[in-house]
Amino acid sequence: MKIVFIGAGRLATHLAKSLYEASHIIVQVYSRTLESASLLAGLVNSNPINKLTEIYPDADIYIFSVNDSVLEDLLNQIPENNGIWLHTAGSLPLGIFEGHNKRYGVIYPLQTFSKDRNVDFEKIPLFIEANNDPDIQLLTNLGKGISQDVYTLSSEKRQYIHLTGVFACNFVNQMYAISDTILKEEGIPFQVLLPLIDETAAKVHDLSPKEAQTGPAIRYDTNIINKHLTLIKDEKLKNIYRLISEYIHESNK
Amino acid sequence: MKIVFIGAGRLATHLAKSLYEASHIIVQVYSRTLESASLLAGLVNSNPINKLTEIYPDADIYIFSVNDSVLEDLLNQIPENNGIWLHTAGSLPLGIFEGHNKRYGVIYPLQTFSKDRNVDFEKIPLFIEANNDPDIQLLTNLGKGISQDVYTLSSEKRQYIHLTGVFACNFVNQMYAISDTILKEEGIPFQVLLPLIDETAAKVHDLSPKEAQTGPAIRYDTNIINKHLTLIKDEKLKNIYRLISEYIHESNK
């Protein structure tokens, strides 16, 4: 299939590379700057553009992978065509395309993408939605070419997936960041935590998170909880420690 | 070395097995119930006891792996001897042994232990402390027989390690548990999050947690943050979402 990418960020880069490796043709990469468009275009043998008027009108698929806030603005500037217009966002509804094109849908990969880090796209769950059944089928087939886990999911449900992604990735990473800051102040390398971090993630492959819980909060060991609160200087962080400890305790009563 | 275990919980079980496999002799396992003592004793070819008066007086090492709250009580009931008395707790100071025995120390494995889950003890960081230099050396050698990562660390520093363990393990696991609950309500299997969970943990092997951060909070995308807050019904959980999001935003300004 002929695919146009609108946006050249981290998600677009990983998705475009994966589609290119699955023998699709990335006909164009649009980005606000030609530099950024060229960076991705160079990886997938594509043509970089930075003018919306130059967008190729006869592609099969247009993938909009841009910040949620700029998507609507872009949609107003691109003329309707016969391709399927897709976005890649967890929390934007399918209906955002209404009135902009006949065929549209969503392809939402549930993963965190960083520059300079390869991820195994095969293992990334893809959540598909479209405004008509044949396109759901088409997008499912497209998805199965790059991932083993392709699901059809409504916009309503997808936003909950995105919400849990924030808890299980961004907030988890912030717990790592907090630990990193505390250890740095004590002159201890963050690396000592890696076996614990790995085991904590590995455990929930076999046990439910509820079964996997350990530590002072689930034992409601107020001695240790109070001692930890005295070690934390930052008031906001104290509050976070207190709230999550209480939440663990109450969820396990 | 001849080692007596006082306590037969998860940590004691993993540590005893690992010491046993490294050819040490686990002479006794004490637990309040003979059933629990026998369970561990059976795994390490040891003798189960449930009376403190029966404790073997001529062991080299006594490992107290019990709840912090019962340790002091136990120490009062066991007569002084020539062995090294150790506890395994992150937040208890070395000084808790003062007045109870001549030689004492700490061996703190930084890991989360579950029943029926094997962990690779070789990769677990061990933090060692003792009240005299020769015993620090002795315990370091003992530790190196079961782990590649053995550190000498003061009680003062160890409590910060324990604190970060709570953030990087218990609180992380609670983020998983929250996600599990939300997904269950939507009829979506928790398993869809596993690739994201794994990548989030894997990333911080190569990037600092600060560099690894993604998502709506670091972009300070208030549209999505507010949308997520409307999806969360529980007031406490709303509060946790809000606080961590703000903390991410502020730590990255």
Side-chain angles (χ1 to χ4, degrees):
Chain A
M1 286 206 254
K2 289 192 227 164
I3 303 173
V4 169
F5 267 83
I6 294 119
R10 288 173 300 189
L11 196 160
T13 300
H14 284 93
L15 183 55
K17 277 166 70 179
S18 160
L19 288 165
Y20 176 68
E21 282 161 19
S23 300
H24 296 289
I25 302 160
I26 314 300
V27 286
Q28 274 182 336
V29 175
Y30 164 86
S31 182
R32 257 180 312 176
T33 68
L34 207 56
E35 191 191 350
S36 140
S38 302
L39 213 61
L40 173 49
L43 297 173
V44 294
N45 194 23
S46 185
N47 301 308
I49 56 169
N50 69 342
K51 294 197 184 74
L52 288 171
T53 51
E54 291 174 2
I55 283 184
Y56 180 71
D58 296 319
D60 300 299
I61 289 175
Y62 296 78
I63 298 181
F64 293 80
S65 183
V66 295
N67 274 349
D68 296 5
S69 52
V70 300
L71 178 59
E72 279 214 80
D73 192 43
L74 281 180
L75 293 179
N76 285 325
Q77 297 179 60
I78 302 177
E80 202 172 324
N81 60 37
N82 292 316
I84 312 178
W85 292 13
L86 303 177
H87 75 65
T88 57
S91 287
L92 282 183
L94 174 68
I96 195 155
F97 289 112
E98 230 178 280
H100 293 290
N101 202 41
K102 289 180 297 290
R103 300 163 72 192
Y104 50 85
V106 179
I107 183 165
Y108 173 57
L110 182 58
Q111 189 50 281
T112 171
F113 298 103
S114 297
K115 280 233 184 310
D116 308 323
R117 246 191 94 76
N118 276 321
V119 287
D120 186 358
F121 223 96
E122 283 251 305
K123 288 186 182 148
I124 299 177
L126 292 180
F127 298 94
I128 297 287
E129 196 178 9
N131 72 325
N132 67 77
D133 287 345
D135 284 347
I136 288 180
Q137 199 46 58
L138 187 151
L139 294 173
T140 302
N141 292 339
L142 180 81
K144 284 187 173 161
I146 55 173
S147 163
Q148 295 161 0
D149 278 316
V150 183
Y151 305 86
T152 310
L153 199 81
S154 67
S155 294
E156 162 73 15
K157 297 268 184 203
R158 189 175 58 253
Q159 61 186 346
Y160 285 98
I161 301 250
H162 189 205
L163 173 63
T164 59
V166 168
F167 277 103
C169 168
N170 309 146
F171 289 2
V172 159
N173 186 72
Q174 186 61 15
M175 299 299 122
Y176 301 158
I178 290 167
S179 304
D180 188 25
T181 305
I182 296 172
L183 289 177
K184 261 204 192 87
E185 276 171 23
E186 300 303 317
I188 299 164
F190 177 71
Q191 276 60 35
V192 300
L193 283 178
L194 292 176
L196 179 62
I197 284 173
D198 291 346
E199 171 66 6
T200 304
K203 259 183 167 184
V204 293
H205 285 249
D206 301 326
L207 305 172
S208 76
K210 206 169 171 164
E211 292 167 326
Q213 193 57 281
T214 58
I218 194 167
R219 297 195 308 267
Y220 209 52
D221 186 334
T222 49
N223 271 337
I224 292 187
I225 291 172
N226 289 331
K227 193 178 220 179
H228 282 172
L229 287 171
T230 65
L231 297 180
I232 303 172
K233 299 290 163 277
D234 182 285
E235 277 306 318
K236 285 217 166 127
L237 196 51
K238 245 190 228 294
N239 218 356
I240 288 174
Y241 185 98
R242 201 181 284 118
L243 265 176
I244 302 177
S245 290
E246 279 168 18
Y247 204 75
I248 291 175
H249 176 57
E250 283 166 23
S251 323
N252 289 284
K253 265 203 286 213
Chain B
M1 287 205 251
K2 290 193 224 163
I3 302 172
V4 170
F5 267 84
I6 294 119
R10 288 173 301 187
L11 195 160
T13 300
H14 284 94
L15 183 56
K17 278 166 70 180
S18 159
L19 288 165
Y20 176 68
E21 281 160 20
S23 302
H24 296 288
I25 302 158
I26 315 300
V27 286
Q28 274 182 335
V29 175
Y30 163 86
S31 181
R32 257 180 313 176
T33 69
L34 207 56
E35 193 191 347
S36 139
S38 302
L39 214 60
L40 173 50
L43 297 174
V44 294
N45 193 24
S46 185
N47 301 308
I49 57 169
N50 69 342
K51 293 196 184 76
L52 288 171
T53 51
E54 290 174 3
I55 283 182
Y56 180 73
D58 296 318
D60 300 298
I61 288 174
Y62 295 78
I63 298 180
F64 293 80
S65 182
V66 295
N67 276 348
D68 295 4
S69 53
V70 301
L71 178 59
E72 279 215 79
D73 192 45
L74 281 179
L75 294 179
N76 286 324
Q77 297 178 60
I78 303 176
E80 201 172 324
N81 61 36
N82 292 318
I84 313 178
W85 292 14
L86 302 177
H87 75 66
T88 58
S91 288
L92 282 183
L94 173 70
I96 196 156
F97 288 113
E98 228 179 283
H100 293 291
N101 203 44
K102 288 179 298 291
R103 299 164 71 192
Y104 49 87
V106 179
I107 183 166
Y108 173 56
L110 181 59
Q111 190 49 285
T112 170
F113 298 103
S114 297
K115 280 232 184 309
D116 308 323
R117 248 191 92 76
N118 276 322
V119 286
D120 185 358
F121 222 96
E122 282 250 306
K123 290 188 181 148
I124 299 177
L126 292 180
F127 298 93
I128 297 289
E129 196 178 8
N131 72 325
N132 65 79
D133 287 345
D135 284 347
I136 288 180
Q137 200 47 58
L138 186 151
L139 294 174
T140 301
N141 291 339
L142 180 81
K144 283 186 174 165
I146 56 174
S147 164
Q148 295 160 359
D149 278 317
V150 183
Y151 305 85
T152 309
L153 198 81
S154 68
S155 294
E156 162 72 14
K157 298 267 183 203
R158 189 175 59 253
Q159 61 185 347
Y160 284 99
I161 300 252
H162 189 206
L163 173 63
T164 59
V166 168
F167 277 103
C169 168
N170 309 146
F171 290 0
V172 160
N173 187 72
Q174 186 62 13
M175 299 299 124
Y176 302 157
I178 290 166
S179 303
D180 188 25
T181 305
I182 295 171
L183 289 176
K184 262 207 190 83
E185 277 170 22
E186 301 302 317
I188 299 164
F190 177 71
Q191 277 60 33
V192 301
L193 282 178
L194 292 176
L196 179 62
I197 284 172
D198 292 345
E199 171 66 6
T200 304
K203 260 182 167 186
V204 292
H205 285 248
D206 301 325
L207 305 172
S208 77
K210 207 168 171 168
E211 293 166 325
Q213 192 59 282
T214 58
I218 193 168
R219 296 195 308 265
Y220 209 54
D221 186 334
T222 49
N223 271 336
I224 292 186
I225 292 172
N226 289 331
K227 193 178 220 178
H228 282 172
L229 287 170
T230 66
L231 297 179
I232 303 171
K233 299 289 163 278
D234 183 286
E235 277 305 317
K236 284 216 169 129
L237 197 50
K238 247 190 230 291
N239 218 356
I240 288 174
Y241 184 98
R242 201 181 286 120
L243 266 176
I244 302 178
S245 291
E246 279 168 19
Y247 204 74
I248 291 175
H249 175 57
E250 282 164 26
S251 325
N252 289 283
K253 265 203 286 212

